[in-house]
């Protein structure tokens, strides 16, 4: 069992560096993830990891501890209906709004291994040929370097593509390479990925027409959620849309944001535009 001072040390480190809040009761989660990391690092146990982290911490070790604590669960077209809403309502509306500048920018703000960003890219390629001469960009960011490297490779196992991706789309937008499926260039040219920590200032990202920040706020405490949602609103263009995960209700969202529903989809629209 992880010792109380070790739990305190690691949970504080994880909270300060990523915002991920490990409250009392999450000892088991921390312990099992750190035990896995010990195996990777060839360390005997959490006591050794604690000694190293407390007295000989390196940026690399810190990153590995944060990586170990992220939950990268994702799949193609997760929840389906937000992507139907994009297809049936939002992209059309954004196209009307941006008709003169012919530009659309999406952000998958906790992109994990990229399935969310590639799902948006497939919606665009499949249903909006009119956008071929527009500047369309889907930025995918995540704190996890490993997740982002996988997203950049666009390389998925059979099990991963079986999760949410219809076979017709798989064949049309991915090519098989041995046991893997690789996103084709027609998707890759729309997406790009980089590591980014949502705790950092949102500088150099530009403005977006639509932001997906799904299934990440659940890991943060109220104060962190509020800080992040305030920053998200600032980089959203007037008339732009913000999506959270189905179980995530934003608290104290800026008054410029109006709750909008499309069937089962609940999202938030910024005033103006
Ligand atoms: C459960 S996944 C959600 C993936 C995707 N948005 C979806 O809905 O399928 C949560 C992701 O949030 C990332 N994450 C956690 N804390 C973060 C932070 N401070 N900044 C950026 N990403 C973070 C994790 O690395 C993980 O990949």
């Amino acid at each position: 069992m992880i010792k109380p001072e070790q739990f305190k040390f690691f949970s504080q480190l994880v909270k300060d560096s990523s915002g991920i809040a490990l409250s009392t009761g999450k000892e088991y989660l921390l312990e099992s993830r750190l035990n896995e990391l010990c195996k990777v690092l060839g360390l005997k146990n959490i006591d050794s990891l604690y000694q190293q982290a407390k007295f000989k911490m390196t940026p690399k070790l810190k990153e590995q501890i944060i990586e170990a604590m992220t939950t990268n669960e994702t799949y193609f077209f997760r929840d389906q209906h937000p992507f139907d809403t994009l297809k049936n309502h939002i992209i059309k509306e954004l196209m009307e709004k941006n008709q003169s500048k012919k530009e659309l920018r999406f952000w998958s703000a906790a992109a994990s291994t990229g399935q969310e960003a590639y799902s948006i890219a497939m919606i665009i390629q499949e249903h909006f040929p009119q956008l071929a001469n527009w500047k369309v960009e889907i930025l995918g960011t995540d704190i996890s370097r490993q997740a982002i490297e996988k997203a950049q490779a666009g390389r998925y196992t059979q099990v991963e593509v079986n999760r949410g991706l219809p076979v017709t789309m798989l064949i049309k937008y991915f090519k098989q390479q041995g046991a893997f499926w690789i996103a084709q260039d027609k998707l890759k040219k729309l997406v790009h990925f980089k590591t980014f920590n949502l705790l950092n200032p949102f500088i150099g990202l530009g403005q977006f027409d639509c932001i997906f920040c799904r299934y990440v706020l659940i890991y943060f405490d109220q104060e962190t959620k509020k800080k992040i949602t305030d920053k998200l609103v600032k980089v959203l263009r007037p008339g732009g849309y913000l999506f959270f995960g189905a179980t995530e209700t934003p608290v104290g969202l800026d008054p410029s944001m109006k709750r909008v529903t499309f069937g089962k989809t609940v999202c938030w629209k910024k005033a103006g535009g």
Side-chain angles (χ1 to χ4, degrees), residues 221-253:
D221 65 15
Q222 294 296 93
E223 194 192 340
T224 310
K225 276 184 207 179
K226 169 86 177 107
K227 281 188 186 153
I228 291 174
T229 52
D230 283 350
K231 291 190 287 184
L232 290 169
V233 172
K234 288 212 174 78
V235 294
L236 194 61
R237 286 182 175 142
Y241 284 90
L242 179 54
F243 286 77
F244 300 109
T247 49
E248 297 167 315
T249 324
V251 192
L253 199 58

Side-chain angles (χ1 to χ4, degrees), residues 1-14 22 27 30-31 34-35 45-54 65:
M1 185 71 185
I2 189 162
K3 299 187 178 96
E5 72 269 23
Q6 296 175 343
F7 181 74
K8 193 165 166 228
F9 172 82
F10 285 115
S11 55
Q12 194 62 52
L13 175 78
V14 170
L22 294 158
E27 287 84 354
L30 184 72
E31 190 178 351
L34 293 184
N35 273 329
N45 52 32
I46 292 182
D47 289 341
S48 324
L49 181 66
Y50 177 66
Q51 289 304 316
Q52 196 157 323
K54 196 162 163 79
I65 294 168

Side-chain angles (χ1 to χ4, degrees), residues 18 71-74 78 110 116 142-143 196-198 214 216:
S18 70
T71 302
N72 307 120
E73 162 73 0
T74 188
R78 186 172 193 171
E116 186 171 84
D142 200 281
I143 197 172
F196 181 73
N197 185 343
L198 290 166
R214 302 171 68 223
V216 64

Side-chain angles (χ1 to χ4, degrees), residues 19 75 85 105 120 123 137 146 166 198 216 224 246 250:
Y75 47 91
T85 294
R105 294 194 76 227
I120 299 172
I123 294 286
E137 186 194 6
Q146 281 171 21
L198 290 166
V216 64
T224 310

